Amino acid sequence: MTTAPTPPHLLLGSCDYPEHVPRDRWATYARMQKELGLSFVRIAEFAWSRIEPQCGRYDWAWLDQAIEAYHGCGLRVVLCTLTATPPAWLIRAHPEILASDEQGRVREFGSRRHYDFASPVYREHSRRLTLAMALRYGRHPAVVGWQTDNEFGCHGTTRSYGGASAAAFPEWLRHRYGVVERLNEAWGNVFWSMEYTDFSQVRPPMLTVTELNPSHVLDYARFASQQVADFQKEQLEILREMSPGRFITHNFMIFESGFDHYQVAQGLDFATWDNYPLGMLEFFAPSGSGEEVKTRYARTGHPDLIAFNHDLYRGLVAQPGLGREGRGTPNGPWVMEQQCGQVNWAPYNPLPAGGAVQLWTAQAWAHGADVVSYFRWRAATMAQEVMHSGLLRHDETPDRGYAEVETLDQTQFPVGPVPARVALLHDYESLWLYDQQKHSASLSYWTQTVAYYSALRSLGIDVDIVHADAGLSAYAVVVAPAITLVPPERAARWAKAVEGGVALVCGPRTAFRTPGGQTWETGQPGPLSDTLGVKLLQYDSLRPTLSQRVSGPGGDVQAHGWAESYRLQGAEALYSYSGGPLDGEAAVTRRGQVTTIGAHSPELIGAVLADVLQRAGVETTPLPEGVRLSRRAGRTLVQNWTLDAVQWNGLSLGPVSFMVQEE
Amino acid sequence: MTTAPTPPHLLLGSCDYPEHVPRDRWATYARMQKELGLSFVRIAEFAWSRIEPQCGRYDWAWLDQAIEAYHGCGLRVVLCTLTATPPAWLIRAHPEILASDEQGRVREFGSRRHYDFASPVYREHSRRLTLAMALRYGRHPAVVGWQTDNEFGCHGTTRSYGGASAAAFPEWLRHRYGVVERLNEAWGNVFWSMEYTDFSQVRPPMLTVTELNPSHVLDYARFASQQVADFQKEQLEILREMSPGRFITHNFMIFESGFDHYQVAQGLDFATWDNYPLGMLEFFAPSGSGEEVKTRYARTGHPDLIAFNHDLYRGLVAQPGLGREGRGTPNGPWVMEQQCGQVNWAPYNPLPAGGAVQLWTAQAWAHGADVVSYFRWRAATMAQEVMHSGLLRHDETPDRGYAEVETLDQTQFPVGPVPARVALLHDYESLWLYDQQKHSASLSYWTQTVAYYSALRSLGIDVDIVHADAGLSAYAVVVAPAITLVPPERAARWAKAVEGGVALVCGPRTAFRTPGGQTWETGQPGPLSDTLGVKLLQYDSLRPTLSQRVSGPGGDVQAHGWAESYRLQGAEALYSYSGGPLDGEAAVTRRGQVTTIGAHSPELIGAVLADVLQRAGVETTPLPEGVRLSRRAGRTLVQNWTLDAVQWNGLSLGPVSFMVQEE
Amino acid sequence: MTTAPTPPHLLLGSCDYPEHVPRDRWATYARMQKELGLSFVRIAEFAWSRIEPQCGRYDWAWLDQAIEAYHGCGLRVVLCTLTATPPAWLIRAHPEILASDEQGRVREFGSRRHYDFASPVYREHSRRLTLAMALRYGRHPAVVGWQTDNEFGCHGTTRSYGGASAAAFPEWLRHRYGVVERLNEAWGNVFWSMEYTDFSQVRPPMLTVTELNPSHVLDYARFASQQVADFQKEQLEILREMSPGRFITHNFMIFESGFDHYQVAQGLDFATWDNYPLGMLEFFAPSGSGEEVKTRYARTGHPDLIAFNHDLYRGLVAQPGLGREGRGTPNGPWVMEQQCGQVNWAPYNPLPAGGAVQLWTAQAWAHGADVVSYFRWRAATMAQEVMHSGLLRHDETPDRGYAEVETLDQTQFPVGPVPARVALLHDYESLWLYDQQKHSASLSYWTQTVAYYSALRSLGIDVDIVHADAGLSAYAVVVAPAITLVPPERAARWAKAVEGGVALVCGPRTAFRTPGGQTWETGQPGPLSDTLGVKLLQYDSLRPTLSQRVSGPGGDVQAHGWAESYRLQGAEALYSYSGGPLDGEAAVTRRGQVTTIGAHSPELIGAVLADVLQRAGVETTPLPEGVRLSRRAGRTLVQNWTLDAVQWNGLSLGPVSFMVQEE
């Protein structure tokens, strides 16, 4: 086991699959990786059928040999727990492992992630196999860390709607509510005579005649999230015991919504995520500007979408690397899989612009990544991902990403803190509830949240994305874009932070819903009413062809998608609606340090945030489209995400490029 | 039981759910309702699980108390039969009650309307529970009427494709056809060797390899409609016996197509419907102008869509209130649920414009409503509809609709007849058949029918919408926009009306199909050929980017979606096609008092109808966009549905407003 | 049995359904058909339930009589094998005959083609019934040929995903691979631990969590195709034995992709297909120009889409009519069903332009058809297709197509060879693989292939469409637009053709994939690398709003959808990319007689093909939009497919018209 100190700068790695190539390539690849400047290799992600070709018959030889090949070249190895792809012999023997989709159809064997997290049989095999791996490699000197499973929740796999999950849900409810009357109360089941007389009557929320009870959905999301956490915890406990001194992480997904990531991240040393900027863009481009943004950033991805995920996963583990410092591996977050050429899973899969791989790597560093690991070493020549690129092509020649990695100076990226004075609050329960009842089809939790995030980055602000219940006292400004579920305890915590001098900004629908998924009988924003100094008056859902004028200090702007107004109860109106059903009512309010924004409008959000930041003494730097600043360890990364050269602030930035400036 | 005379003017009410709020609110709400000027309250719609928390254990106390609260304030109570929401204990004990969808999936418990109308078990519980309610409250002095179930057919619940319905369909067919050869003949099953040798071989029309036999679909629609009628009839018989002197109605839905409303309305005292103008617009905006119309009327709804439903449901019961006059409750149709703020079930749910609630109420009166009942008293704080408005907000403060109701003078709306000299014919069998084989994806039965209706209203004409077999002699002009199914008896009835002096206007596809769903072997329009004086020559299905020129007295217009031509056999051509495959062929024909319009073109329809009306001595008043006239009881309601003030005919109409003019 | 010589010119026929009309019409129709100039009638296509109303009880009398009616008028009869529509008595007795869809739902009785080709029970009934038909009519003097079943694969019916097919697939795999390790190897199952330990574990490719293994899909497509071939072969063997001297054919479908047509056509005398130009257009309009092209050709269909199918099916049987010459029936391909009025199965179903039926008939002749048979004689008055036209209307009056047939001079269309010097290569395995992993959603195998075909026709070139493994030595130029699956043997065959002097043009993705569906470990285009003189460097998937500039001798053009670049290994670059990620890399290359086109651009394809053709000594005639040339038997058919008169090359062509010029 390496005991060197934490490296001083960003390190690189790649994801490799020795089982996909002939054995004679292993040593060659290891040497090439080392020569390219890579330090890490992640392996054995989907290798269950090769490690255990039949039940209980293990074949360790090949993996022993592969690890030795990397080890021999000085590469540090990250191993996976294999459970993302249960093999055919297990599935056919125990078909009850398979999950069911929302239509009640069994999700079949033949790709990956085809298991129900709640399956007792699968849990048993997960523990058995994790133990076997940990016993074999847990103390291997080349092995520096573990990745559990792969991309929890990918392809909508958090929630299974039949079998083991359906069987476990009633018990989970009984544990939560004790008596069924409390369940009925919490869900408001009186509404349509949906009251249960026994927990066993409750099923997963699916196939109802019309819309689902949002409280039913919310609890099912909580239940399913708990299954993921429990599933991983079992692996964690085994690995902690059998593989001391190694880090344990999981590679999370872009904007994955299926489970509570804060809950699942508990016990990990740090989080990693899989960064595919171009595929991401096709699915998560900012709303209202879809085709235009997708075209402009087709070859780079959108900087704020990527940065959001970096900041989200950096903040996922409150104390990263706890107890692991000085062990020779970074303790901060990683990009476990970094796109380095075209992907294969979006409707369109363009090539990255020249320079994009370096820009993505630099951005990852500036947002806190200690390691960036490219996916994948060599493009697969078989099965589902043959059209996905690697650093090497199918024929082992270097692909476009290779050259960019080769010429990247890692030492310009020192490890160190990201100096954020602004926090953005995030909460998966709010996400589930918001998206279950959007009321305005053009908005979602992510859309609304990213609009605030993007406004901050357009002002050159570094942001921590933290849980809605995180400690806030260290921040000058806290932004709660869409925290629609605010229990009294959370409201009290925010109020206390405000008392402590934190400036708070809330977006529409804040505190609209109770922890059970109902609305406050005393009106919205429930327990936050005093802090905000307002009561919700009206909310307007705007189809894309409708807008609502908002007038204020900076002139008029148009709200899109959503507009809510307030009755002032201690706050003053900063902006008001003019014309339409909300004419004359407050659109943006302020009570002391607390600002509430009721209208959805990127322009308005930017203006209000700029004002709040200025008052809070946080310096802003308004940036042109496609230019971004990110700071870390005393350096500033100036980025140009456009395909054209840009002159900005006295700097000449080439197309798709960056500069590292020391402060 | 009240025995006062029929009230002289429109009365108001609301839908309330005492079971959704603490008991201490009941008396308060009743008092507030009375003070607001409401006369009626509809309750107990979804309260089964509270009335019967376990099988056979009734809890009447709370409802007794709630009724007393309303009664004590002088409110008249409409009770519901509870059957729209069977509770969990019943469904889990008898899962065979659940319906199946067109994909064969069981429609699960967890929302509402999750029952198969054909289920013998459910029928038994429906009778049992209706009897229990009727015994308890049938002669209660506060109870003035009953609503059966709720919104039959909502969420596509008329037709179940498995279980009880699948089991009952063969017997229904045996009853209809006697021997299977007659079924084969009626359905034309020889076509693809679809002939059955036994009724038991027949299943619901679903999941076939390619399109369904339209005759199969037509008979399944008839079968399912019969189940709804039978289901309700069982409740009706119990209520008539056990609750003498009370009216019985059902709250029908906007443009609901699942069952034959004339059949289901039999035995009711009058029809009521649920009027949600803004939600309706998103789903039923006139074709060809979708986004533009949806935007213009986003905050008021489209006057003609709403008016169509008023006129449809006013005409549903041939002799409304039969035998119930003088009992202190209105005998005409109601709006049982009237939107009074935003709804929650469309993709976008904008706020109504100021004045819209009053305008909707006034329009309802002018189209025959005796009572308008707002949905709902207080916005729900739990479950599926928390985003739906009420007269009160979640926190019991008055919402925007409340103020409009408060300031509305009910006495300006005297009860009396709607003086229509024009009838528009409607028939659900034609609807089913038309929509099963549209041939031109941009048209449907409703689209085509509403185009004719809207043309009439644009000319300031009051319209009765009546069944295609209704008596027509009282009308000057009868319009049959899309009656595609015309049996010989119907044709004879129309011919007789024409002989009697009625002017008849038929739209495209009239009498295209036989009662079995086939086409006439003697050519179209089958038995109506002589009356129309034409034979169908060709029909052209026009994609949205294609049009067909029509030339006539008023110059050229363009047909969209559909163009059919005729061979003249007694009729003359009023308009002819020019250019294209129909060049020179007749597009609009006339034989005596009978006009046939073959081209779909709102402009052409308006011009032809104006001419027909003039010849028939019916005065027309061409109206600008958004201005409408409706007459009742000797008064004319002048309406401005636009967001701008309008000068018209010497009148100054404010935005979203009306005037009541006495003749 | 007729023994007259092969007729000297195109003959006509119609599809008739005596069982759909009263018996007294049969003789009348036969006489009318003869008088109209028809020579053939196809009957009994869907008549199973009338031939065998109950299991084993045959009713031959009516068909005897119908055949006599045609025979009496000198019409030659084509009989069908009835198996496309198994009747209810069989399906309800053996529900296991029904196929399952990709969602696992049983495809129900009630339309047609509701059988699983792999069903042993159905196979038995297919043989039994075919034998009964062959025994009864196999030597009848009026019967000149047979059509097997009807439109194999229509409505996605080639592949069943349950029941008999699911049961047979493992055995088919065992037969193909012997041991399961070879299967795992061929499919690359190691990729996601998808390795099987027993053939019985393998299921149809369906309902997986994420995308399917393309190799799994490819083998299932092969398996299903084999079932179709086997199914038909059983009928063929019976017919060959029991109906000597009659031709046997099948009526294939427009761009049908479900099975390998070359495999299924084996043993047929020639192929026929069902030509519906207008319906086809709505579904297969060239990509990138959808609405515009669909509008322009709405009333004629697109000439190249139709011509492609003619050329495809002409080339399907390598030696048409083998051993059948001189028997009085044509030996070339037929159009078995020719649209002659509106169809009923597209979203919009416009009327054909005047002249279109004659133009379609003339084009069919010029592309090799010996017989054109109109669908159908009289429009059906019952069931699914009442809106579909026939030569007669529902009321037996002549519809618009009738007049065009009546005035068409058949003798201007002599039978003879199509003089193609250019071959276009086609391969269903490449189609399956390409479409399973499109990588760029706007392109498909057909889109790319038709782009090359259309470029050739725009240059006035006659084209043979032949299998990718066909003999090529007779051609001057061979175009392989999208043959993505190229085994070494195929590569060798092409290389040999090139050595023999053939000019070869390959499109993007050529030889990208191995026969197992993987990619070449030595890089693409695998075994074709030497012949093409290139290695694939990069491939770019372009969303519709992105393009990539290509620069070359003819200036700049824009690539859409796809752009791939090459490393030159013997070839030279004709065109190169400029700007973007492919800047400076080769877009079009040439090595000797072999040209590779990497960018998708109709303009570029046209320019490169024109150059290749000129070098190969094939004369080109650049044609304006909508004008086409086709040559046969020493004559040239000049066609105007536009709705306007055209002056071209000294000729005056009326709207939608043709001229036959003798060379």
Side-chain angles (χ1 to χ4, degrees), chain C residues 90-112:
Chain C
L90 176 58
I91 294 300
R92 296 303 181 229
H94 293 287
E96 69 270 30
I97 290 171
L98 293 171
S100 291
D101 70 13
E102 222 166 335
Q103 309 299 310
R105 298 170 303 197
V106 169
R107 306 187 78 173
E108 253 295 345
F109 179 83
S111 63
R112 61 178 179 178

Side-chain angles (χ1 to χ4, degrees), chain B residues 159-182:
Chain B
R159 299 173 200 160
S160 171
Y161 291 84
S165 280
F169 186 43
E171 274 314 299
W172 184 89
L173 290 170
R174 187 191 310 275
H175 185 262
R176 182 177 181 88
Y177 292 107
V179 293
V180 78
E181 289 74 15
R182 284 197 54 225

Side-chain angles (χ1 to χ4, degrees), chain B residues 514-589:
Chain B
T514 74
Q518 304 190 16
T519 51
W520 300 101
E521 295 188 6
T522 53
Q524 318 330 319
L528 213 56
S529 303
D530 281 350
T531 303
L532 272 52
V534 300
K535 280 277 183 170
L536 179 64
L537 205 50
Q538 302 192 75
Y539 48 97
D540 195 14
S541 154
L542 298 159
R543 66 195 321 276
T545 58
L546 269 189
S547 60
Q548 165 69 51
R549 194 164 62 244
V550 181
S551 303
D556 289 354
V557 297
Q558 295 292 335
H560 296 278
W562 190 269
E564 64 182 43
S565 68
Y566 307 103
R567 182 187 306 126
L568 303 177
Q569 294 190 338
E572 59 176 333
L574 294 188
Y575 289 76
S576 295
Y577 295 103
S578 51
L582 302 176
D583 186 51
E585 298 179 4
V588 180
T589 68

